[in-house]
Amino acid sequence: MSIGDLVETLRNGKHLIEIEESVLADYELPWFTVNLARKTSKALLFKDVVDKEYPVTTNIYLGKIDISFHNSTSLIVENFKRLISILLNVSLDPSSKISVLASFAWISDVYPRVVGSQGFLRRSALEFDLTGLPAVRHTAREEHPVIKNPVILLSDPKTGQTILFSEPVQVIDEKTLLLHIPRSSKAFMFLEESTKHSEAINAAIIIGVSPYLQLVSKMDWLPWFNKYLLAGGLSGGPVNLMRVDGNLYVPFDAETIILGELVPGDVRPEGKMLYEDMRYYGGFPMPLVRAKALMHKPEPVFYTSITHPYLSDEYALNNLREQLMTEYVRLLAPDVSYLSFLSFDAYRTVVVGLKNANSRRAYEIGVLLFSLKLTPYLDTVVVVSAENKVEKVENLASMLLTSLASNRILYFENPQEEELLRDTRREKVIVDATSLRLDYISERDVLTSDEFKDSREKYEKILQELRGE
């Protein structure tokens, strides 16, 4: 299912607000998205984005995971458990042979298949302008427009290796994109390996993929899974791929695909970007993609999330990923009850619930989670007893101070300067908070409602239309 199909499904189910008012991609669109999300769980379709080619849809997952995925969350989790049990726990008992063969037959049914590229329009480098894409800026402090969660495919023709992942992309000019590649990510290691031969890498920036591919694009903690196969296994049907520019296989269900090349060493300092902790980071050298072609559906819908601690698609998708991540970690540590990343900390802190917790086991679990590289930014593991469910906590200061007073910091590492991802976060920490009893801390209104006064009248009109329904 493409994003265009999903928008139609949401429209038919009255889960979509279609906004006819002209809005600016800079500041207005993300501001409207955040404030409307406080009033309704419906998806948004901005039909007239000033000076941009395409309409924009966002918040298509927030509060609507089961609708958007056409499956219940429980079924997605069960499909995931089936996949990992097949590949990690193959029984050698002869009596289980038929069951094992049936399981592998099921995998073959969800194996990706190649189809043609009919239905796509293709423009050459002389025929498109990337600044016409409705990438957004949340505030004036963001230096470049940002596509929040595209799927990125890199393919090295020299080695034959490919990698699929999702990170923000900045639009620099008419033909140039800047990729955000965290230093500890698999994508960074892929590029490091490619620098050994210094030849161009094929790149595809894919915007508006199917929900299942959007979900798995950030599941790098499953290194042994092809993500196209993983998306097919979770959905129960194969991902359709089309072959473009040699040996590059991209999803057919995409809305827009930017094709280009990345030359190792061709970098530029990254512009400041807003993160979920409502702070700005940037300045590190990041790789450039020089666009060569643009492929899109005849009437594409541009999809992007926005940056917010809890009122965005990325927040909704990460909640589902946490459930899958918990099932994976349980294979290695059955006493883990749950995992919860703190969105208010830009997903750098994970809280793990542990059954029958003690300090020694808390330390072991912390080391395990760091070794699995659950996210490129993970720097703090807080272990609590299983009954203390921590979700959307704005500030763990009181909890951590209590732990410090009780000598509960189990591990502290300050890496070397060249390993730093951000200038304000240097440590890796494991905290034993298993003896604490938590009270929820209420969420703070992170964006003031009158920040953009010029947008107030337009916003109120949209609200009146919404109430009229």
Side-chain angles (χ1 to χ4, degrees):
M1 174 186 288
S2 70
I3 292 298
D5 296 332
L6 178 53
V7 166
E8 191 61 31
T9 297
L10 294 171
R11 178 185 287 119
N12 294 336
K14 300 188 184 304
H15 299 293
L16 179 71
I17 300 174
E18 300 185 57
I19 299 170
E20 304 286 348
E21 295 290 324
S22 296
V23 298
L24 298 171
D26 288 351
Y27 324 139
E28 272 195 339
L29 191 152
W31 186 83
F32 282 157
T33 299
V34 168
N35 283 279
L36 286 170
R38 292 193 173 101
K39 308 290 184 180
T40 177
S41 63
K42 292 186 178 183
L44 305 176
L45 177 63
F46 295 91
K47 301 178 76 171
D48 183 8
V49 185
V50 177
D51 295 331
K52 303 299 180 183
E53 283 195 63
Y54 310 134
V56 174
T57 188
T58 189
N59 281 12
I60 59 177
Y61 301 112
L62 183 65
K64 301 173 290 298
I65 285 290
D66 289 0
I67 297 171
S68 299
F69 280 78
H70 281 259
N71 268 326
S72 66
T73 299
S74 59
L75 181 58
I76 296 172
V77 172
E78 286 303 312
N79 283 346
F80 177 74
K81 290 167 67 175
R82 184 178 183 183
L83 273 172
I84 59 177
S85 66
I86 290 171
L87 296 181
L88 292 183
N89 295 316
V90 176
S91 174
L92 298 181
D93 184 349
S95 63
S96 302
K97 183 176 180 179
I98 294 178
S99 175
V100 171
L101 291 176
S103 296
F104 280 106
W106 176 73
I107 286 182
S108 70
D109 290 338
V110 299
Y111 200 82
R113 62 188 179 192
V114 179
V115 299
S117 59
Q118 294 84 358
F120 275 84
L121 304 178
R122 180 166 178 146
R123 299 193 228 171
S124 69
L126 297 176
E127 299 172 308
F128 67 82
D129 179 349
L130 295 180
T131 62
L133 299 177
V136 303
R137 288 201 297 168
H138 297 78
T139 75
R141 292 187 62 188
E142 284 195 301
E143 296 181 38
H144 304 291
V146 177
I147 306 171
K148 175 64 177 177
N149 54 348
V151 172
I152 302 168
L153 177 64
L154 301 180
S155 177
D156 188 338
K158 186 75 172 181
T159 64
Q161 298 297 311
T162 62
I163 186 169
L164 189 79
F165 61 101
S166 180
E167 291 289 347
V169 171
Q170 295 179 330
V171 180
I172 302 300
D173 58 35
E174 295 87 346
K175 300 292 184 292
T176 312
L177 300 171
L178 187 66
L179 304 188
H180 175 73
I181 307 292
R183 183 173 292 274
S184 62
S185 66
K186 290 181 172 60
F188 182 86
M189 292 184 282
F190 178 91
L191 292 177
E192 284 285 281
E193 187 66 23
S194 298
T195 58
K196 295 179 180 179
H197 60 68
S198 301
E199 295 185 14
I201 297 169
N202 294 323
I205 313 302
I206 308 161
I207 302 164
V209 298
S210 69
Y212 288 93
L213 194 54
Q214 192 74 60
L215 175 70
V216 305
S217 62
K218 284 196 172 182
M219 291 170 57
D220 285 344
W221 38 273
L222 287 177
W224 33 268
F225 249 126
N226 177 284
K227 289 180 179 175
Y228 290 142
L229 176 59
L230 179 57
L234 295 183
S235 67
V239 173
N240 291 326
L241 304 176
M242 56 184 181
R243 185 174 178 177
V244 297
D245 290 2
N247 206 31
L248 204 62
Y249 290 88
V250 298
F252 178 79
D253 285 337
E255 290 288 302
T256 304
I257 303 168
I258 304 166
L259 300 173
E261 66 177 21
L262 184 158
V263 177
D266 185 11
V267 299
R268 180 182 296 187
E270 184 178 39
K272 295 283 187 181
M273 279 195 300
L274 180 69
Y275 284 75
E276 281 76 8
D277 58 359
M278 297 292 106
R279 300 179 69 179
Y280 298 85
Y281 304 97
F284 292 101
M286 293 292 172
L288 295 171
V289 170
R290 310 289 181 175
K292 299 188 298 183
L294 179 69
M295 298 179 64
H296 59 84
K297 297 289 178 62
E299 296 182 0
V301 177
F302 191 91
Y303 168 70
T304 184
S305 182
I306 54 99
T307 300
H308 192 274
Y310 61 93
L311 294 175
S312 74
D313 278 341
E314 272 304 284
Y315 174 77
L317 290 168
N318 277 322
N319 282 346
L320 179 52
R321 290 188 192 107
E322 286 170 5
Q323 296 182 54
L324 305 182
M325 193 182 294
T326 299
E327 296 299 332
Y328 177 58
V329 171
R330 279 177 179 161
L331 292 176
L332 307 172
D335 51 343
V336 168
S337 173
Y338 72 91
L339 297 173
S340 181
F341 279 85
L342 300 186
S343 60
F344 278 100
D345 194 36
Y347 302 101
R348 293 175 295 197
T349 296
V350 64
V351 179
V352 52
L354 198 60
K355 304 171 186 175
N356 304 316
N358 58 69
S359 292
R360 177 178 177 180
R361 187 58 178 154
Y363 173 76
E364 293 172 345
I365 292 299
V367 172
L368 171 65
L369 297 186
F370 278 131
S371 69
L372 293 176
K373 296 185 181 299
L374 299 179
T375 77
Y377 301 117
L378 179 62
D379 61 20
T380 303
V381 177
V382 180
V383 185
V384 302
S385 55
E387 61 267 22
N388 288 334
K389 182 68 172 176
V390 181
E391 293 178 326
K392 296 187 294 186
V393 178
E394 176 187 350
N395 191 346
L396 284 178
S398 60
M399 179 177 168
L400 295 178
L401 287 173
T402 305
S403 299
L404 281 167
S406 304
N407 295 318
R408 293 292 189 172
I409 300 298
L410 303 179
Y411 177 80
F412 184 93
E413 176 189 347
N414 194 349
Q416 297 300 313
E417 187 72 23
E418 62 268 17
E419 297 175 356
L420 302 184
L421 289 177
R422 296 173 178 163
D423 55 3
T424 58
R425 294 295 289 264
R426 302 189 179 191
E427 304 81 13
K428 287 187 176 180
V429 183
I430 301 173
V431 179
D432 174 15
T434 55
S435 63
L436 300 180
R437 295 296 178 264
L438 306 179
D439 292 323
Y440 286 117
I441 301 172
S442 62
E443 295 169 0
R444 177 171 54 91
D445 186 359
V446 296
L447 293 179
T448 58
S449 60
D450 60 351
E451 182 177 358
F452 307 113
K453 294 182 179 180
D454 292 342
S455 301
R456 172 56 55 193
E457 182 178 345
K458 203 179 299 183
Y459 174 65
E460 291 297 338
K461 183 176 180 180
I462 294 168
L463 276 185
Q464 289 174 7
E465 295 173 354
L466 177 61
R467 295 190 191 102
E469 297 179 1

